[in-house]
């Protein structure tokens, strides 16, 4: 669920825009180059559904039309089915699956696309003329609803512009609340209009990439004044914070819809609270306690206002599936707080989550106790002397002689080492290379293979002396 950093297949924004222009070029050669570029992207990483659908439809337009009509009809019908399914599946955000007609109406897709997809799947395959017309309309719809909006949303300074517009909105809002004069009211209306104009031209993908990130910065949904923030362990939303932020969230929800905005907001909050980890252990927190508590409070607020448990008559605007997966895969203090918020919002689901929440609590308490326990080393002089004698014995055993070792031992002390008689003299292996003759690698001059195995008695030397 982490969307803070996304892996994309293109190397730069310029490449992404250029490939989109190639796919809609008048030149067949350029369009073919665009298709090849998308194929290369598919080999690097997962590409957006709209990009994949566009490349597939363009490739079919460029394909040889000398195939039998029946084969062309089947190929075009399969491409249209995949186009409708891949685009609409992204809008399935509730526990109970919604009909494709509802999803198509939500994103502005013509209803006859869904009807044609149904005919291709369950009824007689439409004629080649109808399929080609639908094919062309699908490319036009993708251009208007994806590529053009993506191009407008991709300038490098998009986040800076959103940040400036949100900051001006917050400033004007606070000013008009402090003094509701006509001038302040007109400035607030101007700031609101500027924010709507800026965010209205952005594609919904830009909500998570830019807008939501700005909202979670200190000063917007997380007050800079720590006295206005939530506190652990309750993570209750401060009433003043909810009142002053609701108008901004309502304004943005009117632009993109509650489902898109609050799903992206939950995803971004989870990414900030629960850093992704491949270790599966308890990760240290990267946010301050008051900042994190306020984010958990916003999770509670969103679930309270826009989430409906499974089986409810009212469809839910947000889904908690990705939220649960991320928190369960990355246990920690903050992820446990998020799971408790989900449990409070959905008591039925909370019964299933309770064992995990309890386990996290016990594990975190054990870790905290281990960190707080002082580590004491009690080594007296006698143990140190025994350790020194043991190390001296091992060194003598390995090198055969203690004469060349720089070991500081009291002259009055004697070290008694139980060393075999064969090692009392310098028994290290040596060979005069000047008197040798050519021989196979790994053998001695006489062709014999040397025995380099260590004696078995070395295995009996203890690595450490157990305390008495």
């Amino acid at each position: 669920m982490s969307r803070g950093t996304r892996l994309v297949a293109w190397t730069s924004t310029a490449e992404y825009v250029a490939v989109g222009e190639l796919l809609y070029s008048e030149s067949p050669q350029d369009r073919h180059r665009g298709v090849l570029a998308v194929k290369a992207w598919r080999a690097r990483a997962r590409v957006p559904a709209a990009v994949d659908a566009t490349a597939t439809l363009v490739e079919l337009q460029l394909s040889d039309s000398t195939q039998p009509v029946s084969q062309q009809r089947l190929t075009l019908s399969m491409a249209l089915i995949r186009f409708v399914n891949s685009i609409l599946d992204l809008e399935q955000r509730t526990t109970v699956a919604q009909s494709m007609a509802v999803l198509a109406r939500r994103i502005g897709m013509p209803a006859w696309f869904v009807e044609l997809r149904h005919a291709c799947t369950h009824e007689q395959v439409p004629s080649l003329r109808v399929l080609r017309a639908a094919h062309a309309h699908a490319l036009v719809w993708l251009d208007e609803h994806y590529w053009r909006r993506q191009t407008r949303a991709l300038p490098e300074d998009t986040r800076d512009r959103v940040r400036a517009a949100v900051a001006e909105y917050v400033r004007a809002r606070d000013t008009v609340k402090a003094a509701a004069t006509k001038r302040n009211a007109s400035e607030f209306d101007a700031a609101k209009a500027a924010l709507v104009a800026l965010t209205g031209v952005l594609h919904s993908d830009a909500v998570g990439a830019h807008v939501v990130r700005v909202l979670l910065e200190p000063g917007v949904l997380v007050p800079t004044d720590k006295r206005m923030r939530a506190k652990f362990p309750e993570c209750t939303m401060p009433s003043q914070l909810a009142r002053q932020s609701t108008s901004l969230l309502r304004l943005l929800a009117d632009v993109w819809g509650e489902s898109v905005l609050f799903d992206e907001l939950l995803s971004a909050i989870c990414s900030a609270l629960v850093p992704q980890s491949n270790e599966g252990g308890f990760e240290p927190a990267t946010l301050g306690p008051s900042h994190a508590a306020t984010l958990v409070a916003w999770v509670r607020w969103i679930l309270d206002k826009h989430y409906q448990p499974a089986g409810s008559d009212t469809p839910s605007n947000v889904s908690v599936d990705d939220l649960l997966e991320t928190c369960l895969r990355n246990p920690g203090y903050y992820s446990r707080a998020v799971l408790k918020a989900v449990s409070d919002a959905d008591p039925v689901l909370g019964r299933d989550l309770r064992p995990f929440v309890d386990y996290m609590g016990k594990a975190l308490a054990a870790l905290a106790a281990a960190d707080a326990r002082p580590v004491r080393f009690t080594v007296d002089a006698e143990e140190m002397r025994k350790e020194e004698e043991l190390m001296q014995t091992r060194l003598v055993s390995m090198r055969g002689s203690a004469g060349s070792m720089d070991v500081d031992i009291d002259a009055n002390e004697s070290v008694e080492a139980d060393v075999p008689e064969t090692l009392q003299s310098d028994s290290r292996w040596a060979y005069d290379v000047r008197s040798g003759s050519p021989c196979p690698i790994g053998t001695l001059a006489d062709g014999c293979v040397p025995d380099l195995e260590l004696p078995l008695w070395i295995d009996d030397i203890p690595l450490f002396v157990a305390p008495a």
Side-chain angles (χ1 to χ4, degrees), residues 97-177:
Q98 296 177 296
S99 68
M100 288 197 166
V102 173
L103 299 177
R105 184 166 58 252
R106 179 189 301 170
I107 65 173
M109 177 181 287
W112 63 268
F113 272 136
V114 178
E115 296 173 1
L116 186 63
R117 175 253 179 207
H118 182 83
C120 292
T121 306
H122 305 288
E123 301 174 1
Q124 185 178 1
V125 179
S127 66
L128 184 60
R129 180 178 179 180
V130 171
L131 290 172
R132 284 178 175 173
H135 184 280
H137 280 288
L139 284 173
V140 172
W141 187 88
L142 286 169
D143 184 35
E144 293 178 350
H145 289 77
Y146 181 79
W147 289 101
R148 294 185 185 180
R149 295 188 180 185
Q150 285 291 315
T151 304
R152 291 197 299 266
L154 285 174
E156 298 295 339
D157 62 342
T158 298
R159 185 173 299 186
D160 294 334
R161 294 163 57 197
V162 172
R163 184 180 292 111
V166 171
E168 177 61 22
Y169 174 89
V170 172
R171 185 202 64 79
R173 180 199 63 193
D174 295 341
T175 301
V176 78
K177 284 184 178 181

Side-chain angles (χ1 to χ4, degrees), residues 75-406:
T75 303
L76 289 175
S77 62
M78 178 58 66
L80 289 171
I81 291 172
R82 286 182 56 84
F83 156 67
V84 175
N85 288 348
S86 61
I87 298 299
L88 295 186
D89 281 348
L90 298 176
E91 299 299 318
Q92 288 285 9
R93 303 175 183 270
T94 59
T95 305
V96 179
Q98 296 177 296
S99 68
M100 288 197 166
V102 173
L103 299 177
R105 184 166 58 252
R106 179 189 301 170
I107 65 173
M109 177 181 287
W112 63 268
F113 272 136
V114 178
E115 296 173 1
L116 186 63
R117 175 253 179 207
H118 182 83
C120 292
T121 306
H122 305 288
E123 301 174 1
Q124 185 178 1
V125 179
S127 66
L128 184 60
R129 180 178 179 180
V130 171
L131 290 172
R132 284 178 175 173
H135 184 280
H137 280 288
L139 284 173
V140 172
W141 187 88
L142 286 169
D143 184 35
E144 293 178 350
H145 289 77
Y146 181 79
W147 289 101
R148 294 185 185 180
R149 295 188 180 185
Q150 285 291 315
T151 304
R152 291 197 299 266
L154 285 174
E156 298 295 339
D157 62 342
T158 298
R159 185 173 299 186
D160 294 334
R161 294 163 57 197
V162 172
R163 184 180 292 111
V166 171
E168 177 61 22
Y169 174 89
V170 172
R171 185 202 64 79
R173 180 199 63 193
D174 295 341
T175 301
V176 78
K177 284 184 178 181
T181 64
K182 186 175 181 179
R183 178 180 178 181
N184 292 341
S186 74
E187 290 181 356
F188 178 60
D189 292 339
K192 184 191 300 184
L195 180 59
V196 171
L198 174 61
T199 56
V201 299
L202 301 179
H203 189 267
S204 58
D205 286 349
V207 179
H210 300 295
V211 179
V212 166
R213 306 294 163 177
V214 172
L215 295 179
L216 297 183
E217 294 175 354
V220 188
L221 296 184
V222 180
T224 54
D225 186 357
K226 293 186 178 181
R227 295 173 297 179
M228 293 181 58
R229 296 180 180 181
K231 295 178 177 60
F232 283 113
E234 295 82 5
C235 298
T236 304
M237 171 64 70
S239 57
Q240 183 179 355
L241 176 61
R243 285 196 304 270
Q244 73 177 20
S245 302
T246 302
S247 60
L248 174 60
L249 294 177
R250 188 184 304 114
L251 177 69
L252 297 176
D254 291 340
V255 176
W256 292 298
E258 294 180 348
S259 179
V260 173
L261 176 64
F262 293 111
D263 251 341
E264 292 290 350
L265 192 56
L266 278 180
S267 176
I269 291 175
C270 190
S271 299
L273 289 173
V274 189
Q276 298 293 325
S277 170
N278 294 324
E279 301 296 330
F282 291 88
E283 290 296 316
T286 57
L287 296 176
S290 63
H291 193 153
T294 306
L295 295 183
V296 175
W298 276 114
V299 172
R300 288 183 172 275
W301 185 89
I302 293 172
L303 295 178
D304 179 60
K305 302 294 183 182
H306 302 281
Y307 173 74
Q308 296 294 333
S312 177
D313 296 334
T314 305
S316 179
N317 289 326
V318 296
S319 172
V320 297
D321 294 342
D322 292 341
L323 192 71
L324 293 177
E325 180 180 359
T326 303
C327 292
L328 291 174
R329 287 181 178 273
N330 301 277
Y333 189 78
Y334 296 159
S335 58
R336 181 173 181 267
V338 174
L339 290 177
K340 289 181 66 177
V342 176
S343 300
D344 294 341
D346 190 342
V348 177
L349 183 59
R351 288 198 294 268
D352 296 332
L353 292 176
R354 183 171 181 178
F356 299 98
V357 174
D358 293 343
Y359 168 75
M360 288 185 188
K362 294 178 181 178
L364 289 168
L367 288 177
D371 293 339
R373 188 182 302 118
V375 181
R376 298 178 180 177
F377 298 93
T378 56
V379 181
D380 55 17
E382 180 64 20
E383 291 180 355
M384 293 181 65
R385 188 187 67 79
K386 291 181 180 180
E387 183 70 19
E388 186 178 10
E389 291 179 359
L390 176 63
M391 293 301 300
Q392 177 68 11
T393 302
R394 294 179 63 191
L395 289 173
V396 170
S397 301
M398 288 186 289
R399 300 192 58 180
S401 174
S404 61
M405 293 185 292
D406 298 326

